C-alpha cells in the first residue's frame, strides 16, 4: 500500500516563532502516527530555523514508524545523522535564503560529493533517498549511486496552472517509469495538497509521498490526527482506483 510520510517541520516553525516549547513536534508525531502516518519526516537545517537537534534525538526514540531525516550533504549534519541513525535519510539541497527546498539535488552535477555522503550513510545501515527533479539525467545519476530510493520533486506540478498541470503530470509519469526501470523505490513530494495529491498517488509504482505544509495547515484547524487520516484516505483511494489528473 502507498505510504504517507508526514513532515512535521512546520509544527516546529510555529514553536520557533516564539522560541518557546509549544507546539512540540514530538507530540505532533505521536498524533500523526495515530492518524495513520507510515513515516515521520523532518529536516534538520543548518540554520536550525525549525527542527532542533533535541527534536531529532527525542523523535528517534519515540517514533515507531519510519523516521526519515531530510538533510543537506554537509559534514556537521552527516555527523549527527550517523550518530542518531534515522531509518532513512533523504538528501536535499539547501540554501539559507530559501523559504523551503526550491529544487532537487543536482546529483548528476556533483556525483563524487553526493557519493561520499551516500556511502557513509549506507555503511551505517541508513537507507538513502535522493530528492531530485523528475529529469532522466538525475534519475540515471541516482541509479549509479546505488541508493535505495529517489523522491521526485513535485513542486512544479503543484505550482502549475491550466494546461501546464497535465504537462507536469506527464513528466512525472515518464520520470516515475524510469525510476522503476532503474530498480529504485519511487517516492515523491513537495507542494502536495488535499486537492492535487490523488493524481500523484495514482502514478504506477508510487511507494511513498512526503507531505508537510498542507497537513500541518489543516491540523491547525481540525487537529493532526484527522488531517493525517484524511490525507491518507485520499492517497489510498487514488492508488487503488488510479484517479486521472483534474
Ligand atoms: N519532500 C522534501 C524533500 C522536502 O524538502 C519537503 C519540504 O520540507 C517536503 C517533501 C514536503 O513539502 P511540503 O511541505 O510542501 O508538503
Amino acid at each position: 500500500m502507498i505510504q504517507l510520510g508526514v513532515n512535521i517541520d512546520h509544527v516546529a516553525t510555529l514553536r520557533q516563532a516564539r522560541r518557546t516549547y509549544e507546539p512540540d513536534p514530538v507530540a505532533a508525531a505521536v498524533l500523526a502516527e495515530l492518524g495513520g502516518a507510515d513515516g515521520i519526516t523532518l529536516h534538520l537545517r543548518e540554520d536550525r530555523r525549525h527542527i532542533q537537534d533535541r527534536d531529532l534525538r527525542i523523535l528517534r526514540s519515540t517514533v515507531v514508524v519510519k523516521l526519515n531525516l531530510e538533510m543537506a550533504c554537509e559534514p556537521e549534519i552527516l555527523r549527527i545523522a550517523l550518530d542518531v541513525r534515522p531509518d532513512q535519510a533523504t538528501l536535499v539541497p539547501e540554501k539559507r535564503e530559501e523559504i523551503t527546498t526550491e529544487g532537487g539535488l543536482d546529483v548528476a552535477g556533483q556525483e563524487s560529493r553526493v557519493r561520499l555522503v551516500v556511502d557513509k550513510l549506507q555503511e551505517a545501515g541508513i537507507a538513502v533517498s535522493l530528492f531530485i527533479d523528475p529529469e532522466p539525467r538525475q534519475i540515471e545519476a541516482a541509479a549509479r549511486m546505488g541508493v535505495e530510493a529517489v523522491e521526485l520533486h513535485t513542486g512544479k506540478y503543484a505550482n502549475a496552472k491550466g494546461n501546464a498541470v497535465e504537462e507536469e503530470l506527464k513528466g512525472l509519469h515518464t520520470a516515475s517509469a524510469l525510476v522503476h526501470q532503474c530498480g529504485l523505490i519511487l517516492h515523491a513530494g513537495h507542494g502536495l495538497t488535499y486537492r492535487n495529491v490523488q493524481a500523484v498517488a495514482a502514478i504506477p509504482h508510487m511507494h511513498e509521498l512526503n507531505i508537510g505544509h498542507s497537513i500541518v495547515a489543516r491540523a491547525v484547524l481540525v487537529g493532526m490526527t484527522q488531517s493525517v487520516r484524511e490525507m491518507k484516505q485520499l492517497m489510498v483511494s487514488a492508488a487503488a482506483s488510479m484517479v486521472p489528473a483534474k
Side-chain angles (χ1 to χ4, degrees), residues 92-121:
V92 301
E94 197 174 295
K95 288 192 229 118
R96 279 178 184 261
E97 61 279 12
E98 68 192 0
I99 293 176
T100 179
T101 316
E102 283 165 359
L105 184 67
D106 181 14
V107 182
Q110 44 176 349
E111 285 202 33
S112 50
R113 178 165 178 253
V114 176
R115 185 179 297 281
L116 223 77
V117 177
V118 168
D119 287 351
K120 291 236 162 66
L121 289 165

PDB file of all heavy atoms in Angstrom, residues 92-121:
ATOM      1  N   VAL A  92      18.858  16.415   0.349  1.00  0.00           N
ATOM      2  CA  VAL A  92      18.215  17.555  -0.304  1.00  0.00           C
ATOM      3  C   VAL A  92      19.238  18.683  -0.452  1.00  0.00           C
ATOM      4  O   VAL A  92      20.199  18.754   0.302  1.00  0.00           O
ATOM      5  CB  VAL A  92      17.000  18.068   0.517  1.00  0.00           C
ATOM      6  CG1 VAL A  92      15.963  16.984   0.699  1.00  0.00           C
ATOM      7  CG2 VAL A  92      17.433  18.615   1.872  1.00  0.00           C
ATOM      8  N   PRO A  93      19.010  19.579  -1.427  1.00  0.00           N
ATOM      9  CA  PRO A  93      19.865  20.768  -1.495  1.00  0.00           C
ATOM     10  C   PRO A  93      19.383  21.747  -0.431  1.00  0.00           C
ATOM     11  O   PRO A  93      18.253  21.630   0.040  1.00  0.00           O
ATOM     12  CB  PRO A  93      19.599  21.307  -2.903  1.00  0.00           C
ATOM     13  CG  PRO A  93      18.209  20.855  -3.193  1.00  0.00           C
ATOM     14  CD  PRO A  93      17.985  19.577  -2.468  1.00  0.00           C
ATOM     15  N   GLU A  94      20.224  22.691  -0.049  1.00  0.00           N
ATOM     16  CA  GLU A  94      19.804  23.630   0.996  1.00  0.00           C
ATOM     17  C   GLU A  94      20.453  24.979   0.768  1.00  0.00           C
ATOM     18  O   GLU A  94      21.668  25.072   0.643  1.00  0.00           O
ATOM     19  CB  GLU A  94      20.227  23.058   2.358  1.00  0.00           C
ATOM     20  CG  GLU A  94      19.535  23.676   3.527  1.00  0.00           C
ATOM     21  CD  GLU A  94      19.896  22.958   4.830  1.00  0.00           C
ATOM     22  OE1 GLU A  94      19.559  21.778   4.990  1.00  0.00           O
ATOM     23  OE2 GLU A  94      20.552  23.603   5.670  1.00  0.00           O
ATOM     24  N   LYS A  95      19.623  26.001   0.682  1.00  0.00           N
ATOM     25  CA  LYS A  95      20.163  27.368   0.592  1.00  0.00           C
ATOM     26  C   LYS A  95      19.590  28.151   1.761  1.00  0.00           C
ATOM     27  O   LYS A  95      18.411  28.031   2.076  1.00  0.00           O
ATOM     28  CB  LYS A  95      19.718  28.036  -0.721  1.00  0.00           C
ATOM     29  CG  LYS A  95      20.400  27.490  -1.948  1.00  0.00           C
ATOM     30  CD  LYS A  95      20.121  28.401  -3.148  1.00  0.00           C
ATOM     31  CE  LYS A  95      19.674  27.620  -4.339  1.00  0.00           C
ATOM     32  NZ  LYS A  95      18.346  27.905  -4.834  1.00  0.00           N
ATOM     33  N   ARG A  96      20.428  28.943   2.392  1.00  0.00           N
ATOM     34  CA  ARG A  96      19.977  29.671   3.577  1.00  0.00           C
ATOM     35  C   ARG A  96      18.831  30.633   3.293  1.00  0.00           C
ATOM     36  O   ARG A  96      17.943  30.822   4.110  1.00  0.00           O
ATOM     37  CB  ARG A  96      21.147  30.455   4.188  1.00  0.00           C
ATOM     38  CG  ARG A  96      21.986  29.554   5.030  1.00  0.00           C
ATOM     39  CD  ARG A  96      23.176  30.194   5.643  1.00  0.00           C
ATOM     40  NE  ARG A  96      23.928  29.144   6.337  1.00  0.00           N
ATOM     41  CZ  ARG A  96      23.851  28.923   7.630  1.00  0.00           C
ATOM     42  NH1 ARG A  96      23.076  29.647   8.377  1.00  0.00           N
ATOM     43  NH2 ARG A  96      24.539  27.947   8.176  1.00  0.00           N
ATOM     44  N   GLU A  97      18.864  31.248   2.101  1.00  0.00           N
ATOM     45  CA  GLU A  97      17.873  32.298   1.816  1.00  0.00           C
ATOM     46  C   GLU A  97      16.530  31.764   1.332  1.00  0.00           C
ATOM     47  O   GLU A  97      15.575  32.515   1.207  1.00  0.00           O
ATOM     48  CB  GLU A  97      18.449  33.331   0.829  1.00  0.00           C
ATOM     49  CG  GLU A  97      18.849  32.801  -0.528  1.00  0.00           C
ATOM     50  CD  GLU A  97      20.235  32.129  -0.545  1.00  0.00           C
ATOM     51  OE1 GLU A  97      20.812  31.854   0.534  1.00  0.00           O
ATOM     52  OE2 GLU A  97      20.710  31.844  -1.644  1.00  0.00           O
ATOM     53  N   GLU A  98      16.440  30.435   1.062  1.00  0.00           N
ATOM     54  CA  GLU A  98      15.184  29.925   0.518  1.00  0.00           C
ATOM     55  C   GLU A  98      14.130  29.790   1.623  1.00  0.00           C
ATOM     56  O   GLU A  98      14.466  29.563   2.787  1.00  0.00           O
ATOM     57  CB  GLU A  98      15.403  28.566  -0.163  1.00  0.00           C
ATOM     58  CG  GLU A  98      15.753  27.453   0.802  1.00  0.00           C
ATOM     59  CD  GLU A  98      16.251  26.181   0.123  1.00  0.00           C
ATOM     60  OE1 GLU A  98      16.328  26.130  -1.108  1.00  0.00           O
ATOM     61  OE2 GLU A  98      16.576  25.241   0.875  1.00  0.00           O
ATOM     62  N   ILE A  99      12.848  29.890   1.219  1.00  0.00           N
ATOM     63  CA  ILE A  99      11.760  29.709   2.185  1.00  0.00           C
ATOM     64  C   ILE A  99      11.574  28.223   2.439  1.00  0.00           C
ATOM     65  O   ILE A  99      11.357  27.783   3.557  1.00  0.00           O
ATOM     66  CB  ILE A  99      10.445  30.336   1.649  1.00  0.00           C
ATOM     67  CG1 ILE A  99      10.604  31.853   1.573  1.00  0.00           C
ATOM     68  CG2 ILE A  99       9.260  29.982   2.548  1.00  0.00           C
ATOM     69  CD1 ILE A  99       9.428  32.566   0.966  1.00  0.00           C
ATOM     70  N   THR A 100      11.645  27.429   1.376  1.00  0.00           N
ATOM     71  CA  THR A 100      11.598  25.975   1.504  1.00  0.00           C
ATOM     72  C   THR A 100      12.513  25.408   0.420  1.00  0.00           C
ATOM     73  O   THR A 100      13.058  26.172  -0.374  1.00  0.00           O
ATOM     74  CB  THR A 100      10.146  25.452   1.361  1.00  0.00           C
ATOM     75  OG1 THR A 100      10.148  24.024   1.470  1.00  0.00           O
ATOM     76  CG2 THR A 100       9.532  25.837   0.025  1.00  0.00           C
ATOM     77  N   THR A 101      12.699  24.078   0.405  1.00  0.00           N
ATOM     78  CA  THR A 101      13.586  23.475  -0.591  1.00  0.00           C
ATOM     79  C   THR A 101      13.041  23.801  -1.987  1.00  0.00           C
ATOM     80  O   THR A 101      11.912  23.455  -2.306  1.00  0.00           O
ATOM     81  CB  THR A 101      13.630  21.950  -0.394  1.00  0.00           C
ATOM     82  OG1 THR A 101      13.753  21.696   1.000  1.00  0.00           O
ATOM     83  CG2 THR A 101      14.788  21.336  -1.128  1.00  0.00           C
ATOM     84  N   GLU A 102      13.854  24.474  -2.784  1.00  0.00           N
ATOM     85  CA  GLU A 102      13.325  25.017  -4.049  1.00  0.00           C
ATOM     86  C   GLU A 102      13.487  24.109  -5.252  1.00  0.00           C
ATOM     87  O   GLU A 102      12.708  24.141  -6.181  1.00  0.00           O
ATOM     88  CB  GLU A 102      13.963  26.378  -4.331  1.00  0.00           C
ATOM     89  CG  GLU A 102      13.330  27.464  -3.473  1.00  0.00           C
ATOM     90  CD  GLU A 102      14.139  28.742  -3.443  1.00  0.00           C
ATOM     91  OE1 GLU A 102      15.204  28.782  -4.078  1.00  0.00           O
ATOM     92  OE2 GLU A 102      13.706  29.669  -2.750  1.00  0.00           O
ATOM     93  N   GLY A 103      14.525  23.311  -5.283  1.00  0.00           N
ATOM     94  CA  GLY A 103      14.735  22.429  -6.435  1.00  0.00           C
ATOM     95  C   GLY A 103      15.283  21.114  -5.939  1.00  0.00           C
ATOM     96  O   GLY A 103      15.577  20.961  -4.756  1.00  0.00           O
ATOM     97  N   GLY A 104      15.440  20.173  -6.863  1.00  0.00           N
ATOM     98  CA  GLY A 104      16.005  18.894  -6.474  1.00  0.00           C
ATOM     99  C   GLY A 104      17.517  18.997  -6.304  1.00  0.00           C
ATOM    100  O   GLY A 104      18.137  19.983  -6.702  1.00  0.00           O
ATOM    101  N   LEU A 105      18.094  17.962  -5.712  1.00  0.00           N
ATOM    102  CA  LEU A 105      19.542  17.886  -5.542  1.00  0.00           C
ATOM    103  C   LEU A 105      20.165  17.615  -6.909  1.00  0.00           C
ATOM    104  O   LEU A 105      19.703  16.728  -7.639  1.00  0.00           O
ATOM    105  CB  LEU A 105      19.858  16.735  -4.571  1.00  0.00           C
ATOM    106  CG  LEU A 105      21.310  16.531  -4.174  1.00  0.00           C
ATOM    107  CD1 LEU A 105      21.812  17.699  -3.329  1.00  0.00           C
ATOM    108  CD2 LEU A 105      21.461  15.224  -3.387  1.00  0.00           C
ATOM    109  N   ASP A 106      21.214  18.357  -7.255  1.00  0.00           N
ATOM    110  CA  ASP A 106      21.890  18.139  -8.527  1.00  0.00           C
ATOM    111  C   ASP A 106      22.876  16.978  -8.368  1.00  0.00           C
ATOM    112  O   ASP A 106      24.071  17.182  -8.176  1.00  0.00           O
ATOM    113  CB  ASP A 106      22.607  19.424  -8.968  1.00  0.00           C
ATOM    114  CG  ASP A 106      23.305  19.247 -10.306  1.00  0.00           C
ATOM    115  OD1 ASP A 106      23.020  18.248 -11.008  1.00  0.00           O
ATOM    116  OD2 ASP A 106      24.143  20.108 -10.648  1.00  0.00           O
ATOM    117  N   VAL A 107      22.342  15.768  -8.439  1.00  0.00           N
ATOM    118  CA  VAL A 107      23.183  14.574  -8.245  1.00  0.00           C
ATOM    119  C   VAL A 107      24.144  14.438  -9.425  1.00  0.00           C
ATOM    120  O   VAL A 107      25.334  14.152  -9.246  1.00  0.00           O
ATOM    121  CB  VAL A 107      22.296  13.306  -8.123  1.00  0.00           C
ATOM    122  CG1 VAL A 107      23.143  12.077  -7.886  1.00  0.00           C
ATOM    123  CG2 VAL A 107      21.288  13.479  -6.998  1.00  0.00           C
ATOM    124  N   ALA A 108      23.621  14.656 -10.643  1.00  0.00           N
ATOM    125  CA  ALA A 108      24.438  14.486 -11.846  1.00  0.00           C
ATOM    126  C   ALA A 108      25.625  15.452 -11.860  1.00  0.00           C
ATOM    127  O   ALA A 108      26.697  15.117 -12.353  1.00  0.00           O
ATOM    128  CB  ALA A 108      23.569  14.690 -13.083  1.00  0.00           C
ATOM    129  N   GLY A 109      25.434  16.635 -11.291  1.00  0.00           N
ATOM    130  CA  GLY A 109      26.478  17.659 -11.330  1.00  0.00           C
ATOM    131  C   GLY A 109      27.493  17.561 -10.204  1.00  0.00           C
ATOM    132  O   GLY A 109      28.479  18.311 -10.193  1.00  0.00           O
ATOM    133  N   GLN A 110      27.259  16.716  -9.217  1.00  0.00           N
ATOM    134  CA  GLN A 110      28.195  16.611  -8.076  1.00  0.00           C
ATOM    135  C   GLN A 110      28.225  15.176  -7.552  1.00  0.00           C
ATOM    136  O   GLN A 110      28.057  14.956  -6.351  1.00  0.00           O
ATOM    137  CB  GLN A 110      27.851  17.619  -6.981  1.00  0.00           C
ATOM    138  CG  GLN A 110      26.374  17.707  -6.667  1.00  0.00           C
ATOM    139  CD  GLN A 110      26.035  18.636  -5.523  1.00  0.00           C
ATOM    140  OE1 GLN A 110      26.889  19.115  -4.781  1.00  0.00           O
ATOM    141  NE2 GLN A 110      24.757  18.891  -5.350  1.00  0.00           N
ATOM    142  N   GLU A 111      28.464  14.256  -8.465  1.00  0.00           N
ATOM    143  CA  GLU A 111      28.378  12.830  -8.102  1.00  0.00           C
ATOM    144  C   GLU A 111      29.337  12.451  -6.974  1.00  0.00           C
ATOM    145  O   GLU A 111      28.974  11.718  -6.067  1.00  0.00           O
ATOM    146  CB  GLU A 111      28.619  11.938  -9.330  1.00  0.00           C
ATOM    147  CG  GLU A 111      27.423  11.922 -10.263  1.00  0.00           C
ATOM    148  CD  GLU A 111      27.370  10.700 -11.181  1.00  0.00           C
ATOM    149  OE1 GLU A 111      27.811   9.608 -10.773  1.00  0.00           O
ATOM    150  OE2 GLU A 111      26.882  10.848 -12.313  1.00  0.00           O
ATOM    151  N   SER A 112      30.589  12.956  -7.031  1.00  0.00           N
ATOM    152  CA  SER A 112      31.559  12.489  -6.020  1.00  0.00           C
ATOM    153  C   SER A 112      31.194  13.023  -4.640  1.00  0.00           C
ATOM    154  O   SER A 112      31.328  12.309  -3.637  1.00  0.00           O
ATOM    155  CB  SER A 112      32.987  12.854  -6.406  1.00  0.00           C
ATOM    156  OG  SER A 112      33.052  14.207  -6.734  1.00  0.00           O
ATOM    157  N   ARG A 113      30.695  14.265  -4.571  1.00  0.00           N
ATOM    158  CA  ARG A 113      30.304  14.851  -3.268  1.00  0.00           C
ATOM    159  C   ARG A 113      29.136  14.069  -2.673  1.00  0.00           C
ATOM    160  O   ARG A 113      29.123  13.744  -1.480  1.00  0.00           O
ATOM    161  CB  ARG A 113      29.929  16.320  -3.480  1.00  0.00           C
ATOM    162  CG  ARG A 113      29.477  17.011  -2.230  1.00  0.00           C
ATOM    163  CD  ARG A 113      29.459  18.531  -2.396  1.00  0.00           C
ATOM    164  NE  ARG A 113      28.975  19.163  -1.201  1.00  0.00           N
ATOM    165  CZ  ARG A 113      27.771  19.740  -1.090  1.00  0.00           C
ATOM    166  NH1 ARG A 113      26.949  19.767  -2.111  1.00  0.00           N
ATOM    167  NH2 ARG A 113      27.402  20.286   0.049  1.00  0.00           N
ATOM    168  N   VAL A 114      28.149  13.763  -3.512  1.00  0.00           N
ATOM    169  CA  VAL A 114      26.964  13.047  -3.024  1.00  0.00           C
ATOM    170  C   VAL A 114      27.348  11.609  -2.647  1.00  0.00           C
ATOM    171  O   VAL A 114      26.917  11.093  -1.614  1.00  0.00           O
ATOM    172  CB  VAL A 114      25.839  13.061  -4.088  1.00  0.00           C
ATOM    173  CG1 VAL A 114      24.639  12.240  -3.641  1.00  0.00           C
ATOM    174  CG2 VAL A 114      25.406  14.498  -4.380  1.00  0.00           C
ATOM    175  N   ARG A 115      28.194  10.996  -3.480  1.00  0.00           N
ATOM    176  CA  ARG A 115      28.566   9.598  -3.233  1.00  0.00           C
ATOM    177  C   ARG A 115      29.215   9.419  -1.854  1.00  0.00           C
ATOM    178  O   ARG A 115      28.970   8.449  -1.152  1.00  0.00           O
ATOM    179  CB  ARG A 115      29.513   9.100  -4.325  1.00  0.00           C
ATOM    180  CG  ARG A 115      29.842   7.611  -4.210  1.00  0.00           C
ATOM    181  CD  ARG A 115      30.747   7.166  -5.322  1.00  0.00           C
ATOM    182  NE  ARG A 115      30.137   7.302  -6.637  1.00  0.00           N
ATOM    183  CZ  ARG A 115      29.252   6.437  -7.149  1.00  0.00           C
ATOM    184  NH1 ARG A 115      28.885   5.387  -6.434  1.00  0.00           N
ATOM    185  NH2 ARG A 115      28.742   6.616  -8.341  1.00  0.00           N
ATOM    186  N   LEU A 116      30.033  10.386  -1.469  1.00  0.00           N
ATOM    187  CA  LEU A 116      30.723  10.331  -0.177  1.00  0.00           C
ATOM    188  C   LEU A 116      29.718  10.199   0.974  1.00  0.00           C
ATOM    189  O   LEU A 116      29.872   9.384   1.886  1.00  0.00           O
ATOM    190  CB  LEU A 116      31.524  11.630  -0.008  1.00  0.00           C
ATOM    191  CG  LEU A 116      32.929  11.507   0.548  1.00  0.00           C
ATOM    192  CD1 LEU A 116      33.875  10.994  -0.534  1.00  0.00           C
ATOM    193  CD2 LEU A 116      33.400  12.879   1.037  1.00  0.00           C
ATOM    194  N   VAL A 117      28.683  11.029   0.901  1.00  0.00           N
ATOM    195  CA  VAL A 117      27.651  11.057   1.947  1.00  0.00           C
ATOM    196  C   VAL A 117      26.804   9.779   1.879  1.00  0.00           C
ATOM    197  O   VAL A 117      26.518   9.156   2.910  1.00  0.00           O
ATOM    198  CB  VAL A 117      26.766  12.326   1.799  1.00  0.00           C
ATOM    199  CG1 VAL A 117      25.654  12.335   2.830  1.00  0.00           C
ATOM    200  CG2 VAL A 117      27.624  13.575   1.914  1.00  0.00           C
ATOM    201  N   VAL A 118      26.429   9.385   0.656  1.00  0.00           N
ATOM    202  CA  VAL A 118      25.615   8.174   0.476  1.00  0.00           C
ATOM    203  C   VAL A 118      26.348   6.971   1.080  1.00  0.00           C
ATOM    204  O   VAL A 118      25.767   6.177   1.840  1.00  0.00           O
ATOM    205  CB  VAL A 118      25.318   7.932  -1.029  1.00  0.00           C
ATOM    206  CG1 VAL A 118      24.726   6.543  -1.256  1.00  0.00           C
ATOM    207  CG2 VAL A 118      24.375   9.008  -1.565  1.00  0.00           C
ATOM    208  N   ASP A 119      27.637   6.835   0.749  1.00  0.00           N
ATOM    209  CA  ASP A 119      28.412   5.677   1.231  1.00  0.00           C
ATOM    210  C   ASP A 119      28.447   5.626   2.755  1.00  0.00           C
ATOM    211  O   ASP A 119      28.247   4.580   3.368  1.00  0.00           O
ATOM    212  CB  ASP A 119      29.838   5.722   0.678  1.00  0.00           C
ATOM    213  CG  ASP A 119      29.874   5.372  -0.816  1.00  0.00           C
ATOM    214  OD1 ASP A 119      28.828   4.941  -1.340  1.00  0.00           O
ATOM    215  OD2 ASP A 119      30.936   5.544  -1.443  1.00  0.00           O
ATOM    216  N   LYS A 120      28.688   6.783   3.370  1.00  0.00           N
ATOM    217  CA  LYS A 120      28.779   6.830   4.845  1.00  0.00           C
ATOM    218  C   LYS A 120      27.445   6.440   5.481  1.00  0.00           C
ATOM    219  O   LYS A 120      27.406   5.686   6.467  1.00  0.00           O
ATOM    220  CB  LYS A 120      29.186   8.233   5.301  1.00  0.00           C
ATOM    221  CG  LYS A 120      30.614   8.583   4.948  1.00  0.00           C
ATOM    222  CD  LYS A 120      31.390   8.970   6.196  1.00  0.00           C
ATOM    223  CE  LYS A 120      32.892   8.920   5.998  1.00  0.00           C
ATOM    224  NZ  LYS A 120      33.408   9.924   5.050  1.00  0.00           N
ATOM    225  N   LEU A 121      26.359   6.955   4.914  1.00  0.00           N
ATOM    226  CA  LEU A 121      25.032   6.663   5.478  1.00  0.00           C
ATOM    227  C   LEU A 121      24.714   5.173   5.321  1.00  0.00           C
ATOM    228  O   LEU A 121      24.257   4.519   6.266  1.00  0.00           O
ATOM    229  CB  LEU A 121      23.958   7.517   4.788  1.00  0.00           C
ATOM    230  CG  LEU A 121      23.989   9.016   5.120  1.00  0.00           C
ATOM    231  CD1 LEU A 121      23.138   9.797   4.124  1.00  0.00           C
ATOM    232  CD2 LEU A 121      23.502   9.278   6.547  1.00  0.00           C
TER     233      LEU A 121
END
